[in-house]
Amino acid sequence: MPWLRTSDAAEELACSTSFLKRNRETHGGFLIAEEDYILGASKTAPIVWNTESCRKKFHYRGRRLRDAESAADQLLQELRAVNA
């Protein structure tokens, strides 16, 4: 079952609970309410997380960051070669 409470989801995803919470769209992140997490019915109810969806989004974001870093490294090497 992919829907887990914050502490269990963090353990399942090998991250901290604060990392999960910081990555909600309401806090400038990329995890979407009702898709990646669901708020509880009360202020003190736990947030539950769709770990399958979160895992896919973590992977996608990680892949994009690595691709961008690789492209930047390649551009830097080309600029160094031109200026050499």
Side-chain angles (χ1 to χ4, degrees), residues 14-70:
C15 66
S16 69
T17 58
S18 61
F19 179 78
L20 278 175
K21 291 177 180 180
R22 280 193 318 267
N23 282 295
R24 292 178 289 168
E25 84 284 6
T26 56
H27 291 73
F30 54 93
L31 298 177
I32 310 292
E34 296 184 48
E35 183 177 319
D36 302 310
Y37 68 93
I38 298 172
L39 298 174
S42 70
K43 188 175 180 180
T44 59
I47 299 171
V48 291
W49 302 84
N50 180 339
T51 55
E52 290 177 13
S53 178
C54 290
R55 184 176 287 111
K56 287 178 184 178
K57 288 190 177 181
F58 289 168
H59 175 74
Y60 176 76
R61 185 173 174 87
R63 180 80 264 143
R64 284 185 52 210
L65 289 171
R66 285 166 180 78
D67 289 346
E69 187 176 277
S70 177

